[in-house]
Amino acid sequence: MSESSHADRALISVVVPLYNEEENVRPLVERLDHVFKEIGCGWALVFALDPSPDQTRQRILELLDRGYPIRLITFSRRIGKPLSLLAGLDHARGDACVIIDADLQDPPELIAEMVEKWRQGYKVVIAQRVSRRGENYFYLKCAQLFYWLVERISEVQIPSISTAVIPFDRDPRFTGKTQISFMGAVNIALDGIIPFSRAPLRLMFVLGLVYIFLAKGTGIAWLIYRIATGFSSNWPIIVLCLILVGAAGLIVACLGVLGEYVVRAYEEARNRPLYIVDEIIESKALSSKPLQGGNRSVDYPER
Ligand code: UDP
Ligand code: MG
C-alpha cells in the first residue's frame, strides 16, 4: 500500500476472511459503513470467501446490490482462515488495510482509533485483545501460552516497523460458533512458531543430550552401587528401562518436530499456488480501478 495519502481522501480496504457467516455479514457491513461515515474517508470491503455451504455468498451479493463497496473473492476450495486472509490482502488496494473477522468478535468501531494512529504516522496498528468473552478457558490458556512462547523464541521481532497497539476486550461471536477446529488452531499456532524460530530444533538436540547424560549417569551410579553392595537387587535395571522407554518417546517426539520443518520446506519447494481464485465479483465503483493483487494465485476468469 502507498504511504503517501494520510488525508481524508484516503482509501482504506477492509479484508474479511469468511466461512459460513450468513448471519454475520449484514450486521458487519452495516457497522463498518457507520464507522467509515464517522471517519469520513473512502473504504472498500474485500470479502475473501472460503466456499461455504450456507448462504454467505448470497448475503454478500445482496449487500453488493445495495451499493456497498465490495469485492468478493471466492476460492476453488476451502483454504482456511490464514490463506483466505492472505488472498484478501493480495486483492486489496488503497492506502491502508484493516483485517477483521466476520463474526463481530473484534468491534469494527475500533477502526476509527486505528485510523487515527495510522494518520499520526504509525505504519502498523495492532488491536490487542486484553480479554476474550465467550471463549472457553482451555482455549484462552492455549492462546496465552502461544503468545508467550512466540515472544520468547521468535528470532525476528514481530512486528518490526513503527507500531501502535490499541488494547481492547474481545466480544463473543455475534452468531454461530467458531469455524476453526482444535487441530486448525494447532496448525495456525505452529505456523506462527516454526517459520520464526529454530528453538524447537535446538530443544530437540538439548533434550537428546540430557537423555544421553541421564542414561550414562544412571548406568554409572548403578555400577558404583553394585560394586559397593554386590550384584543382587534389580531396581537399577528398572530405572535404566524407564530411561530407555522415555528416550524412545523422546526420539519419536523429536522426529515429529523435525517433520514440522521438513513439511514446510517441502511445501515451499513444491512452489504451488497458495490458493486458486474461483471468481471475483465487485461493485462497479471498484472495478473501474485496477487491482493491486499479488502473484501468489491463479485467477480464473469470472463466470
Ligand atoms: N474462517 C475462514 N475459513 C475457515 C474458518 C474460518 O475464512 O476455514 C473465518 C471465519 O469466518 C471468521 C474468521 O475466519 O471470519 C475467524 O474464524 P472463527 O471466528 O471461527 O475463529 P476464532 O475467532 O474462534 O479464532
Ligand atoms: Mg471468531
Side-chain angles (χ1 to χ4, degrees):
M1 307 283 133
S2 99
E3 299 157 19
S4 54
S5 170
H6 279 208
D8 280 350
R9 279 179 296 110
L11 181 93
I12 296 181
S13 277
V14 180
V15 175
V16 188
L18 334 91
Y19 178 72
N20 276 357
E21 301 283 8
E22 60 184 2
E23 302 286 339
N24 294 330
V25 274
R26 202 169 62 91
L28 171 74
V29 172
E30 284 168 356
R31 271 172 74 175
L32 281 170
D33 185 49
H34 187 73
V35 166
F36 279 101
K37 278 196 178 114
E38 299 265 296
I39 297 173
C41 70
W43 68 295
L45 255 164
V46 180
F47 278 128
L49 177 67
D50 262 347
S52 306
D54 73 353
Q55 294 291 305
T56 307
R57 180 176 176 275
Q58 204 47 41
R59 292 289 102 79
I60 293 173
L61 293 181
E62 285 162 20
L63 290 159
L64 204 143
D65 282 345
R66 280 173 51 190
Y68 291 107
I70 292 173
R71 170 171 296 136
L72 167 65
I73 298 141
T74 317
F75 309 108
S76 58
R77 63 181 176 88
R78 185 176 173 192
I79 55 175
K81 175 183 172 175
L83 282 183
S84 299
L85 195 55
L86 184 76
L89 288 169
D90 283 345
H91 289 84
R93 56 180 190 82
D95 303 288
C97 208
V98 179
I99 58 180
I100 190 167
D101 287 352
D103 57 7
L104 293 165
Q105 279 198 277
D106 307 322
E109 291 69 28
L110 269 182
I111 294 173
E113 220 176 310
M114 297 174 81
V115 169
E116 191 48 45
K117 290 277 179 210
W118 173 67
R119 282 176 173 154
Q120 285 168 15
Y122 290 101
K123 292 194 171 143
V124 177
V125 184
I126 295 175
Q128 185 180 34
R129 298 156 196 162
V130 288
S131 76
R132 302 163 179 245
R133 278 175 285 153
E135 278 171 13
N136 73 50
Y137 182 79
F138 175 70
Y139 185 91
L140 284 183
K141 287 290 149 198
C142 286
Q144 272 171 10
L145 177 70
F146 168 73
Y147 287 115
W148 179 86
L149 208 64
V150 166
E151 219 165 88
R152 262 147 206 88
I153 70 175
S154 181
E155 282 153 23
V156 287
Q157 210 197 335
I158 312 168
S160 52
I161 49 177
S162 76
T163 301
V165 176
I166 300 171
F168 78 103
D169 298 313
R170 196 174 205 215
D171 293 332
R173 265 183 159 266
F174 186 67
T175 66
K177 55 182 178 23
T178 181
Q179 312 286 331
I180 299 175
S181 65
F182 177 71
M183 277 321 289
V186 169
N187 270 337
I188 293 174
L190 285 177
D191 276 341
I193 291 175
I194 302 283
F196 291 106
S197 176
R198 275 168 284 189
L201 279 176
R202 216 163 288 146
L203 185 69
M204 282 170 61
F205 183 59
V206 172
L207 281 178
L209 286 184
V210 167
Y211 255 88
I212 290 169
F213 282 117
L214 259 178
K216 288 258 180 293
T218 325
I220 291 167
W222 176 74
L223 214 62
I224 293 169
Y225 176 79
R226 280 297 163 215
I227 290 165
T229 63
F231 289 74
S232 61
S233 150
N234 62 355
W235 68 262
I237 300 290
I238 293 167
V239 174
L240 269 178
C241 283
L242 283 176
I243 287 180
L244 283 179
V245 171
L250 182 74
I251 290 166
V252 174
C254 288
L255 283 176
V257 173
L258 210 59
E260 293 292 337
Y261 284 90
V262 171
V263 85
R264 280 163 181 76
Y266 173 66
E267 288 295 336
E268 199 75 22
R270 282 202 300 180
N271 203 19
R272 284 169 57 176
L274 290 176
Y275 55 86
I276 293 174
V277 174
D278 180 26
E279 59 174 359
I280 299 179
I281 303 176
E282 57 191 0
S283 315
K284 287 227 161 50
L286 296 181
S287 57
S288 59
K289 296 172 183 122
L291 278 179
Q292 193 192 308
N295 56 1
R296 282 183 269 244
S297 73
V298 177
D299 285 356
Y300 284 142
E302 280 184 37
R303 280 206 282 241

